[in-house]
Amino acid sequence: MAIQMKRRNAELDAEAAMARLQELAREQKERLEPYAGQARAGAERGLLRARGWTAPRLETAALRVEDTVAPRVADLLATAAQRVEPNRTRRGLIAARHGGRRVPKAVVLVGVAALGAATVYGVIRLRKAAQDAEWQENLDQAREQVRETREQLQSKAQDAKEAAKAKTEEVAGVGAGPEADGAAKK
């Protein structure tokens, strides 16, 4: 019976501790919730800045790869294709001969590997291009929003300037009435 009592007391202590921890967690959540929102907003701004910084560098890297790696891969594939090409009289990979000798399997494998690498490169390039286009679209939308906001602010500033000018003229016109003329002549 004593063991059951000890177990029951331990369970009650555990439940009480869990309740205290849950209450403490609720209090901390309420205390830290505003900071989480600020951190989220800061992280979003940082991510947007990072994407803006990264996009031109990715584009530059893509152009460099296109100008340097792609021609080399194309030359390698053309060379491999020439080596693999069978005689015109006999078709088929097994019958492929070059100068009366069989084409080594290594050359065929290199050609297939190069073709696979070129295919993978093309797929990756297309995916990056799609992502870059999406990022550019988002950037263009952001620029458009900034431009529209700037135009709205300029319009409001112009309206306020005109309203202030009208008030100034109105106040100046009130002081320049006939009473003011009479006071000025004396």
Side-chain angles (χ1 to χ4, degrees):
M1 188 71 170
I3 292 175
Q4 289 179 347
M5 291 288 286
K6 286 181 182 180
R7 283 186 186 165
R8 182 65 185 149
N9 287 339
E11 289 175 1
L12 291 175
D13 290 345
E15 288 176 5
M18 182 61 79
R20 285 191 306 268
L21 288 174
Q22 287 175 343
E23 182 61 32
L24 182 63
R26 277 190 217 99
E27 290 172 3
Q28 293 302 319
K29 178 190 168 225
E30 291 172 3
R31 187 175 66 90
L32 297 175
E33 206 165 24
Y35 299 112
Q38 292 172 357
R40 184 181 310 111
E44 288 173 355
R45 286 191 304 270
L47 180 61
L48 188 60
R49 270 187 261 137
R51 287 176 63 182
W53 180 88
T54 304
R57 282 152 184 83
L58 288 175
E59 183 67 25
T60 301
L63 292 175
R64 286 185 183 155
V65 167
E66 189 176 298
D67 292 342
T68 59
V69 175
R72 291 179 188 167
V73 171
D75 289 342
L76 179 67
L77 289 173
T79 304
Q82 289 173 356
R83 288 185 179 180
V84 172
E85 185 177 14
N87 290 337
R88 296 286 179 212
T89 58
R90 296 179 71 187
R91 297 283 179 177
L93 188 58
I94 298 174
R97 297 188 180 275
H98 184 58
R101 294 178 291 160
R102 286 184 64 136
V103 177
K105 287 183 180 180
V107 173
V108 174
L109 292 176
V110 167
V112 171
L115 183 61
T119 303
V120 168
Y121 171 76
V123 169
I124 290 172
R125 180 82 172 114
L126 285 174
R127 285 183 180 176
K128 285 186 179 181
Q131 187 178 27
D132 288 346
E134 180 181 315
W135 287 357
Q136 186 63 39
E137 183 180 339
N138 290 341
L139 182 61
D140 291 342
Q141 288 176 355
R143 285 181 179 155
E144 183 64 23
Q145 288 175 352
V146 167
R147 185 187 60 73
E148 289 175 5
T149 303
R150 184 183 305 133
E151 289 175 359
Q152 289 175 354
L153 289 175
Q154 287 175 346
S155 173
K156 287 182 180 180
Q158 184 65 31
D159 292 343
K161 185 177 179 182
E162 290 173 3
K165 186 175 182 180
K167 280 287 189 187
T168 304
E169 290 174 1
E170 182 180 305
V171 169
V174 169
E179 299 89 27
D181 287 343
K185 289 181 182 178
K186 289 183 183 180

